[in-house]
Coordinates of all heavy atoms in Angstrom, one line a residue:
Chain A
M17 N 0.9 -1.2 0.0 CA 0.0 0.0 0.0 C 0.9 1.2 0.0 O 1.9 1.3 0.7 CB -0.9 0.0 1.2 CG -2.0 1.0 1.1 SD -3.0 1.0 2.7 CE -2.1 2.1 3.7
K19 N 2.0 4.8 1.0 CA 1.8 5.7 2.1 C 1.5 7.1 1.6 O 0.7 7.8 2.2 CB 3.1 5.8 2.9 CG 3.4 4.5 3.7 CD 2.8 4.6 5.1 CE 3.2 3.4 5.9 NZ 2.4 3.2 7.1
R43 N 9.0 11.0 -1.2 CA 10.0 10.0 -1.0 C 10.6 10.1 0.4 O 10.7 9.1 1.1 CB 11.1 10.1 -2.1 CG 12.1 9.0 -2.1 CD 11.6 7.8 -2.7 NE 11.3 6.8 -1.7 CZ 10.5 5.7 -2.0 NH1 10.0 5.5 -3.1 NH2 10.3 4.8 -1.0
R44 N 11.0 11.3 0.8 CA 11.6 11.5 2.1 C 10.6 11.2 3.2 O 10.9 10.5 4.1 CB 11.9 13.0 2.2 CG 12.9 13.4 3.3 CD 13.2 14.9 3.3 NE 12.0 15.7 3.6 CZ 11.6 16.0 4.9 NH1 12.2 15.4 5.9 NH2 10.6 16.7 5.1
L45 N 9.3 11.6 3.0 CA 8.3 11.3 4.1 C 8.0 9.8 4.1 O 7.9 9.2 5.2 CB 7.0 12.1 3.8 CG 7.1 13.6 3.8 CD1 5.8 14.3 3.4 CD2 7.5 14.1 5.2
A46 N 7.9 9.2 2.9 CA 7.5 7.8 2.9 C 8.7 6.9 3.5 O 8.4 5.9 4.2 CB 7.2 7.3 1.5
D47 N 9.9 7.3 3.2 CA 11.0 6.5 3.7 C 11.0 6.6 5.3 O 11.3 5.6 5.9 CB 12.4 7.1 3.2 CG 12.6 6.7 1.7 OD1 11.8 5.8 1.2 OD2 13.4 7.2 1.0
G48 N 10.7 7.8 5.8 CA 10.6 8.0 7.2 C 9.5 7.1 7.8 O 9.6 6.6 8.9
L49 N 8.4 7.0 7.1 CA 7.2 6.2 7.6 C 7.4 4.7 7.3 O 6.6 3.9 7.8 CB 6.0 6.7 6.9 CG 5.4 8.1 7.4 CD1 4.4 8.6 6.5 CD2 4.8 7.9 8.8
G50 N 8.3 4.4 6.4 CA 8.4 3.0 5.9 C 7.3 2.6 5.0 O 6.5 1.8 5.3
G51 N 7.3 3.3 3.8 CA 6.2 2.9 2.8 C 6.5 3.4 1.4 O 7.6 3.9 1.2
D52 N 5.6 3.2 0.5 CA 5.8 3.5 -0.9 C 5.3 4.9 -1.3 O 4.5 5.5 -0.6 CB 5.0 2.5 -1.7 CG 5.8 1.2 -1.9 OD1 6.9 1.1 -1.2 OD2 5.3 0.3 -2.6

Side-chain angles (χ1 to χ4, degrees):
Chain A
M17 196 182 83
K19 288 270 185 196
R43 188 73 256 166
R44 194 179 69 81
L45 296 173
D47 286 347
L49 287 163
D52 279 4

